[in-house]
Amino acid sequence: MSSAHHNSATATPPVPATAANIERAAEILRHGGLIAFPTETVYGLGGDATADRAVAAIFEAKGRPKFNPLIVHVPDPDAAFSLGVPTDTARRLAQKFWPGPLTLVLRRAASCPVSLLASAGLDTLAVRVPRHPVAQALLRAAGRPLAAPSANRSGRVSPTTAQHVAESLGGGVEMILDGGACPVGIESTVVDASGQSPALLRPGGVTQEEIEAVVGKLAAAALTATPNSPGQLETHYAPSLPLRLEARSAKPDDALLAFGPDVPTGARIALNLSRSGDLVEAAANLFAMLRQLDGSGGRAIAVMPVPETGLGRAINDRLRRAAAR
Ligand code: TXA
Ligand code: MG
């Protein structure tokens, strides 16, 4: 693949995730190409995790400013624990939450075939077993671990539909498998389970409360200038419009991101994350609605308060990052 035109070229239109197209996608992956595929959280931009060139092509297609470590996707826990060294904590979390929206950071196994570039030079590896049937079928068809960040340009909102991927990525992706809207809609929870005490690196689809019910209190990873997990960077999820958080009223130029039944009037446009106040529904709507409001012609996105509990923590985490710019 020549690299010169990736970011200006138009992405290939999405194709339905039929068995035949999944087989074609697996073939592309085995030859070092990149494809986008649905997971239960967000769409991933996948490449062969054991091929340095494929991993490098992922960074290029995303326009990543630097080599952040990537999540490596495998079809089952056995595959995960052949790549990374399981701790007690890791085994218990895997047992409870895999397949599903949880990523575990583990020490790389001695024989780990995953490209060092996917670990960005760290001696750890982030692994995840997705539960989306298309992701599962693809991983089994490809027969190798897939490195897959969210399939958006670096620093932008994660894609939860195949159309978002087509709009966000240039020509670096050879196929976009369309499996419909992602049911969880927010990225996986990243837990560092490489050492003695597990730490939460990124809130996500499995709640902190659910994880703590299995392994006890999580250490909070401090936000630092050189974060362990780039998901910790303040401006990681950025729409173009400025965000105003904790909005309880709306101005005429506002694009309002509402939550719950009591919505202030007067905004030029309002979308409701969940009229009934359901955090699961809100997470599933978050990125698609941010995108829609971003393109609505308003001057700012005003965001109503979302409770800081359960999935609300992950939602607020993404909203705070989007606002910090
Ligand atoms: O839901 C998800 O996790 C999606 C889907 C496609 O699986 N993927 C995703 O990947 O969100 P990405 O690259 O956008 O985010 C990966 C996160 C980043 O915050 C990264 O810093 C962290 O995982 N990460 C990866 N490897 C790590 C490592 N070795 N140590 C610490 N953090 C790591
Ligand atoms: Mg991402």
Side-chain angles (χ1 to χ4, degrees):
M1 276 191 312
S2 97
S3 58
H5 302 106
H6 279 181
N7 297 333
S8 53
T10 320
T12 166
V15 298
T18 58
N21 283 335
I22 289 171
E23 196 41 63
R24 277 179 59 214
E27 194 58 30
I28 291 170
L29 290 165
R30 285 193 291 268
H31 287 96
L34 306 186
I35 65 109
F37 65 101
T39 79
E40 67 277 22
T41 57
V42 300
Y43 274 73
L45 174 63
D48 180 348
T50 65
D52 290 325
R53 289 185 58 123
V55 176
I58 292 174
F59 288 112
E60 183 181 66
K62 282 199 52 113
R64 282 224 163 155
K66 56 179 185 183
F67 292 149
N68 297 330
L70 303 178
I71 296 174
V72 172
H73 298 66
V74 291
D76 52 57
D78 283 350
F81 294 143
S82 73
L83 302 178
V85 181
T87 55
D88 246 27
T89 304
R91 282 193 199 286
R92 273 155 54 209
L93 291 173
Q95 167 81 26
K96 178 81 180 177
F97 299 111
W98 278 351
L102 173 71
T103 294
L104 296 176
V105 172
L106 305 172
R107 281 195 299 111
R108 288 173 67 105
S111 60
C112 180
V114 169
S115 164
L116 287 167
L117 189 52
S119 288
L122 303 171
D123 57 4
T124 53
L125 187 69
V127 282
R128 154 161 138 77
V129 178
R131 72 168 169 242
H132 195 289
V134 173
Q136 276 285 330
L138 180 69
L139 287 166
R140 288 172 201 280
R144 61 203 61 205
L146 299 183
S150 49
N152 52 282
R153 299 273 303 159
S154 187
R156 294 290 156 182
V157 170
S158 292
T160 55
T161 68
Q163 201 49 46
H164 294 165
V165 179
E167 287 161 11
S168 179
L169 289 181
V173 53
E174 287 185 50
M175 185 189 272
I176 301 171
L177 283 174
D178 188 348
C182 300
V184 175
I186 200 158
E187 297 92 338
S188 62
T189 304
V190 181
V191 172
D192 182 351
S194 65
Q196 295 290 347
S197 47
L200 182 67
L201 298 182
R202 178 178 76 179
V206 178
T207 67
Q208 183 175 345
E209 291 89 336
E210 289 172 306
I211 292 170
E212 290 184 337
V214 178
V215 295
K217 221 56 197 137
L218 289 168
L223 283 172
T224 61
T226 53
N228 297 324
S229 193
Q232 295 173 253
L233 290 176
E234 285 291 350
T235 57
H236 201 59
Y237 301 88
S240 319
L241 290 181
L243 263 75
R244 192 172 78 249
L245 302 182
E246 304 286 326
R248 288 163 207 278
S249 62
K251 305 175 193 168
D253 276 341
D254 278 345
L256 180 69
L257 188 62
F259 178 82
D262 303 317
V263 178
T265 53
R268 81 179 271 138
I269 175 179
L271 297 176
N272 202 325
L273 287 169
S274 172
R275 213 164 282 286
S276 67
D278 177 356
L279 290 168
V280 175
E281 183 185 18
N285 284 331
L286 179 64
F287 290 133
M289 288 185 173
L290 276 177
R291 235 170 239 278
Q292 212 178 319
L293 293 176
D294 205 23
S296 69
R299 302 259 310 253
I301 300 175
V303 185
M304 287 179 67
V306 174
E308 184 74 9
T309 166
L311 278 179
R313 291 181 204 267
I315 294 169
N316 285 324
D317 173 75
R318 303 308 187 271
L319 288 170
R320 279 191 293 266
R321 288 175 205 291
R325 53 202 292 284

